[in-house]
Amino acid sequence: MKNIRTQLKRFQYFYPYTVALVGASVGGQVNFMSCAWHTALSFDPPLFGVLVSRKRFSHGIISKAREFTVNFLSFERVKLSAQMGRKSGHDLDKVKEFKLRLARSKVIQSPIVEEAYVSFECRLAEVRAYGDHDLFVGEVLAVHEEPGCFNAEGILNPGKVRPLLYLGSDFYLTVDQDTLKHVLPD
Ligand SMILES: Cc1cc2nc3c(=O)[nH]c(=O)nc-3n(C[C@H](O)[C@H](O)[C@H](O)COP(=O)(O)O)c2cc1C
């Protein structure tokens, strides 16, 4: 019988997942990493979780800053995802190297990523270890959205923004807006 870890490969059967850049600034250092393992956890209060391996440079930055921003990328920014997800702040200043454009947050000190079509400002509420990753739970204090990307109900407009979807390894794709359906139960 195959070892379960080998069989799971890299735990990617349930992909595609949207890609966010997650990061923070503290003591003059700023760092972001690509993150696919993220999820909403609660509506009231608004809690959002990101899973970050303890090996990541971002792990230390977010732990020290006790806040982070989550910045969702469109398909056009695919190169940025590869750069922020395949290079580490342990080795280089990614913000400088890849000319990441940052903007001031409304509530927290850490910046948001200008290239994102939607960003969350989060204050760290809890950190919990799950095996080789830590779940950083943030209370969402502010949201920034690019005009026109969402309708009044907060539904993404695929005619305006094509979300970046990750398939694992170094593969990406996006949605086909022609498949959009509004479906009611009867
Ligand atoms: C698209 C993509 C998604 C990723 N998702 C995660 C994730 O959810 N959690 C994680 O710990 N690493 C994830 N990684 C790996 C980190 O982004 C990668 O190790 C990065 O170099 C870490 O940067 P840092 O050391 O500067 O924090 C992902 C990589 C890619 C390319």
Side-chain angles (χ1 to χ4, degrees):
M1 211 177 83
K2 269 192 190 168
N3 176 294
I4 185 66
R5 287 199 191 88
T6 315
Q7 212 182 346
L8 280 170
K9 301 189 179 79
R10 291 158 95 180
F11 226 169
Q12 295 168 161
Y13 289 111
F14 43 89
Y15 287 17
Y17 266 15
T18 53
V19 180
L21 297 185
V22 171
S25 70
V26 70
Q29 276 186 309
V30 191
N31 194 68
F32 283 86
M33 61 164 240
S34 302
C35 176
W37 287 10
H38 53 67
T39 182
L41 294 161
S42 162
F43 188 62
D44 185 16
L47 299 176
F48 198 83
V50 295
L51 283 140
V52 180
S53 160
R54 285 181 286 281
K55 293 181 189 161
R56 315 291 182 233
F57 188 68
S58 306
H59 189 285
I61 296 274
I62 296 169
S63 301
K64 277 187 235 153
R66 302 207 53 83
E67 60 180 30
F68 58 91
T69 65
V70 185
N71 307 270
F72 289 88
L73 297 180
S74 66
F75 187 60
E76 289 67 30
R77 312 291 189 202
V78 63
K79 187 78 180 176
L80 194 55
S81 171
Q83 290 166 332
M84 305 307 282
R86 288 285 172 249
K87 299 285 179 186
S88 174
H90 284 302
D91 308 314
L92 75 164
D93 179 346
K94 289 191 276 186
V95 173
K96 215 188 252 173
E97 182 76 21
F98 303 122
K99 300 183 176 62
L100 188 67
R101 290 192 293 124
L102 302 173
R104 287 177 89 88
S105 283
K106 287 190 260 194
V107 182
I108 66 174
Q109 298 302 310
S110 296
I112 55 167
V113 173
E114 255 191 43
E115 281 97 334
Y117 63 87
V118 61
S119 301
F120 298 153
E121 295 181 28
C122 299
R123 179 171 55 209
L124 191 60
E126 196 182 7
V127 187
R128 190 175 283 210
Y130 288 97
D132 55 13
H133 281 63
D134 282 358
L135 174 66
F136 288 83
V137 179
E139 181 174 356
V140 181
L141 302 180
V143 178
H144 303 248
E145 52 181 279
E146 199 181 302
C149 290
F150 297 90
N151 72 11
E153 291 169 68
I155 305 291
L156 184 116
N157 173 1
K160 168 82 183 175
V161 62
R162 299 192 296 164
L164 179 58
L165 303 178
Y166 183 50
L167 280 182
S169 179
D170 297 303
F171 293 91
Y172 298 86
L173 78 168
T174 189
V175 296
D176 173 359
Q177 65 159 308
D178 295 339
T179 62
L180 180 67
K181 283 188 169 50
H182 183 207
V183 185
L184 299 172
D186 50 24

